[in-house]
Amino acid sequence: MFDPKPSQFNLAASASLLPNNLTVFNANDSTTTLFYIHKSAVWQTSITKGGKDEIHRQFCLLDGVSSVHQIKVVEAEDETVLVVAGDHYVQFYSLEGEQVAQHVCDEADSFFNGVDGGKGMIVAGCSTGDVFVFSPKDYTVQTKKTVSEAPITQLCVVKNNVVVADESGCICVVDADLNLLTKLIEGATDVPCLSMCASTSRLYCGFDNGMLHIYNVNDWTKMCAFSGHGRSIFALCSIKDNLISSVGLDSKAQVWHIGADKTAKDKIRISLVFTATIKDRMLVGVQPLADSSLMLACFDSYKVVKFVQKK
């Protein structure tokens, strides 16, 4: 599956203790560009093919008082942009570092958290419980609606719908106009979903207690739930439709094989096909690269770790 002996690359700054604190852009020239949050700044590290060269720079710096909560590379209408969610604002940057747009929330003490993009939409969640849908053409707000009673922790765009998780543990699904479709977790559990990813047929949710839930995105039924980590699951990524990776505060990076869909009486089979422990490091990010290898970000470390698939 993956070579158990990872390679390491340098970062310009250590990754802050935030869920999903790693986003990646894979260029056509085989250069991998990493973006990560360190305090009030977003940093960029570009690694050329083979890892021979590492280029670092401070991508953007806030005013020193504001905080960055989440970042994500998303496909906009005409270009790929980095979306930066923080205190009071959502900012949009070209990958060359030029700020192309900004939206500021009018609510006092509000912050944005949860960013994703899909066909014809870029979405961001807010501590007010609002979800904002931005146009990928000019980054203006197309739709805004309150969909949660608690601050939003994560968003995931799935087939032009938006899955919304909040701090109380509730998860709902809304359409592109932010109208409610269904509730995956209706009552408050006080165990929030900290990470989400989707494949063509499934939604994966990682929780603060180490549980991992899997939903069928065609009818939103829960396929299964199991304990994936001993502590919070801070990041998830889909490697391919039946293969996902999860990392967490228990220092473990794991790869799960998800079996074919079964009936309610015949549950799907979950297999742990790879596990690695990064000693004394809480893992805050995981992203698949163009060659299907995995890149991991560690809290309070100036290194990222790469696991390569065996041929």
Side-chain angles (χ1 to χ4, degrees), residues 103-220:
H103 174 78
V104 179
C105 183
D106 297 329
E107 296 285 341
D109 300 321
S110 63
F111 60 88
F112 284 91
N113 196 27
V115 176
D116 203 9
K119 186 177 180 181
M121 65 191 318
I122 298 172
V123 295
C126 188
S127 58
T128 58
D130 295 331
V131 173
F132 292 75
V133 179
F134 297 93
S135 165
K137 295 181 179 180
D138 57 11
Y139 311 109
T140 56
V141 177
Q142 291 181 312
T143 310
K144 171 194 169 185
K145 185 177 288 187
T146 301
V147 300
S148 172
E149 296 181 359
I152 291 170
T153 56
Q154 283 298 308
L155 298 178
C156 187
V157 176
V158 184
K159 294 187 174 181
N160 215 38
N161 298 317
V162 185
V163 185
V164 183
D166 68 31
E167 282 188 358
S168 74
C170 296
I171 303 178
C172 67
V173 184
V174 296
D175 63 17
D177 295 319
L178 304 182
N179 299 310
L180 180 66
L181 296 177
T182 188
K183 294 183 178 181
L184 304 184
I185 298 178
E186 185 168 0
T189 64
D190 295 323
V191 182
C193 172
L194 300 178
S195 54
M196 287 193 283
C197 72
S199 63
T200 56
S201 61
R202 295 160 180 165
L203 170 73
Y204 305 95
C205 300
F207 288 81
D208 196 27
N209 60 357
M211 292 294 290
L212 205 159
H213 293 194
I214 304 177
Y215 297 89
N216 184 316
V217 301
N218 295 311
D219 58 12
W220 299 111

Side-chain angles (χ1 to χ4, degrees), residues 79-91:
E79 63 178 338
T80 302
V81 296
L82 181 73
V83 184
V84 179
D87 292 343
H88 307 297
Y89 65 84
V90 177
Q91 296 175 340

Side-chain angles (χ1 to χ4, degrees), residues 288-307:
L289 304 186
D291 60 359
S292 296
S293 58
L294 291 175
M295 191 74 82
L296 278 60
C298 312
F299 168 59
D300 198 26
S301 173
Y302 285 77
K303 300 282 187 181
V304 284
V305 178
K306 180 180 179 181
F307 286 97

